[in-house]
Structures are given as C-alpha cells and as structure tokens.
Amino acid sequence: MSSKKVIIFSAPSGSGKTTLVKYCLDQFAKLQFSISATTRQPRGEEKHGVDYFFHTPDEFRQKIALDAFVEYEEVYTDKYYGTLKSEVERIWDLGNVVIFDVDVKGGVNLKKIFAEKALSIFIAPPSIQELENRLIKRNTDDLETIKTRVAKAEEELGYAQYFDEVIVNDDLNQAKEEIAKLVGNFIEA
Ligand code: ADP
Ligand code: 5GP
C-alpha cells in the first residue's frame, strides 16, 4: 500500500538534492514530483510547469490570498517558494507518492503537517567547502548567489536533527544506494 504518502527532501543548496531526487524518480515509478510555485527567474533549461510554476510576486501573493499553499517560505530575500495543495491532490489522485524538494524550514513544516504519512530526508554535503566547490562547478549561479547560498548552508545544517533520516552525499553511488533503500522500504510499507 502506498496511498497518500509523501517523501520530503531538504538540503543546503549544492548538497546534491536535485541529483538524488531525480535518481529516486527514475528508480520508482510510483513517485511523482510536486512542482512548486516560485518568484525566482528560470535558470538554464528550466520550464514553467515542469521544474516550477514561475510567478510574479503579485501572482504569488494572489495564491497566498486564495489559500493555495500547504506551506510557503521566503527562502532568499524576495524569492518566494511554495508547495501547492493542488499538486499534492493531483499526485494522490493518481495513486502515487509525492516527492517534495523544499528548503529546510519547509521540510520541517511539511513533516509536521503530514506526520506519519511522511518520510523526511535531509541531504548533507561532506563539508561546506565541498558544497561551495560543487556550486562553482555546476556553473548555474553567479558568484554573488553562490556566496549567499554558502553563507546560508551553515545555519541550514542545524536543521538536520529534525529529519527522520540524514544522508551524507560524499560518494554519489553510495548515497544513491542508501536513499533507494529508505525510499523503497517506505513506499512498500
Ligand atoms: P542541489 O539540488 O542540492 O543544489 P545538485 O544536485 O544540483 O544540488 O548538485 C550540485 C552539483 O554537485 C551538481 O553539479 C551535481 O552534479 C554535483 N554533485 C552531486 N552529488 C555529488 C557528489 N556526491 N560528488 C560530486 N559532485 C556531486
Ligand atoms: P532553487 O532556487 O535552487 O531551485 O531552490 C532554492 C531552495 O528552495 C531549495 O532549497 C529548494 O528545495 C527550495 N524550495 C523549492 N520549492 C519549495 C517550496 O515549495 N517550499 C519551500 N519551503 N522551499 C522550496
């Protein structure tokens, strides 16, 4: 049975969360990604309705007023991100398990909201230095953005204790193996 379950992934930016979430989505057909709404600009090849629903601040405020969000956060100054109730319902209606990719505060909130229906996983980098190296190598953000994200990472690591599971993403293959085990057990339980 895997009805009405959710899996929450949170991590400091650059820890490898996107890589590991994609891996899980490839491995388990029952998992479906909850597409969040955001006020940040699309990056690289990102598309509206695929990676995010990209909105203006006014549109985002309208959704808040309409009570469209399970949770939302100002993750970076003036950059809002929110989990849409409609996404959770859409995925559950298909009989699938929801995957959330959210910031650490959002992750803690979603675990409180979904409680035993949720498995929350925190992805940690081996070190802050390695996290910075990965962000530079990824080459999708300017140096100013990278500095902001690295500065925030230290504080974010303090939230690891509130998650059901913590995975240190040092060796990627090992992290994938650990995650596949956790996710497989949870959706089959
Ligand atoms: P996040 O979604 O947490 O910001 P990404 O998945 O985009 O992180 O990963 C950041 C960068 O680090 C990407 O370029 C990715 O390919 C790389 N990466 C992910 N995991 C590892 C790992 N275990 N070792 C080395 N590089 C990694
Ligand atoms: P990025 O700009 O790198 O796509 O995302 C920045 C951060 O916002 C990441 O930690 C990502 O997980 C988080 N995020 C994405 N969607 C949501 C959401 O709906 N709610 C919350 N709280 N955070 C989100």
Side-chain angles (χ1 to χ4, degrees):
M1 260 287 285
S2 59
S3 61
K4 303 215 165 183
K5 288 184 181 180
V6 306
I7 301 177
I8 303 157
F9 282 96
S10 296
S13 180
S15 303
K17 177 165 44 102
T18 306
T19 307
L20 290 166
V21 165
K22 284 207 170 114
Y23 172 74
C24 287
L25 289 166
D26 287 345
Q27 291 296 304
F28 300 95
K30 260 205 166 307
L31 300 182
Q32 244 183 307
F33 184 68
S34 165
I35 303 164
S36 292
T38 184
T39 61
R40 83 146 161 79
Q41 294 297 312
R43 193 161 69 195
E45 298 292 299
E46 288 179 336
K47 290 197 172 50
H48 180 82
V50 177
D51 302 279
Y52 282 104
F53 295 106
F54 295 100
H55 290 300
T56 63
D58 268 351
E59 289 167 343
F60 199 96
R61 275 190 285 273
Q62 238 171 3
K63 288 194 177 294
I64 296 172
L66 289 168
D67 199 23
F69 293 114
V70 183
E71 62 79 39
Y72 66 91
E73 294 284 338
E74 185 180 12
V75 178
Y76 302 104
T77 308
D78 292 334
K79 303 281 184 286
Y80 288 82
Y81 296 79
T83 303
L84 293 158
K85 289 180 180 172
S86 54
E87 279 293 286
V88 177
E89 290 306 327
R90 175 180 70 81
I91 295 167
W92 278 352
D93 283 350
L94 292 168
N96 290 329
V97 175
V98 182
I99 281 210
F100 296 120
D101 172 338
V102 293
D103 85 309
V104 295
K105 287 185 190 160
V108 173
N109 285 336
L110 287 172
K111 175 65 191 182
K112 276 191 199 143
I113 291 163
F114 292 103
E116 75 285 351
K117 289 188 173 71
L119 168 67
S120 65
I121 302 176
F122 187 97
I123 314 284
S127 66
I128 298 275
Q129 185 57 57
E130 174 59 15
L131 178 140
E132 185 171 2
N133 294 346
R134 288 181 189 173
L135 286 176
I136 293 168
K137 226 167 137 190
R138 189 172 71 182
N139 202 22
T140 53
D141 300 286
D142 57 41
L143 275 179
E144 196 58 37
T145 306
I146 291 177
K147 256 199 267 169
T148 312
R149 290 181 179 225
V150 170
K152 205 175 175 192
E154 206 125 11
E155 178 203 332
E156 289 172 322
L157 285 174
Y159 284 81
Q161 59 184 311
Y162 303 114
F163 285 72
D164 295 326
E165 304 287 346
V166 178
I167 301 277
V168 178
N169 178 22
D170 189 355
D171 177 77
L172 184 58
N173 284 331
Q174 197 181 325
K176 283 179 175 172
E177 213 176 286
E178 288 174 35
I179 280 185
K181 226 180 266 172
L182 288 175
V183 169
N185 288 341
F186 178 74
I187 60 181
E188 279 150 27

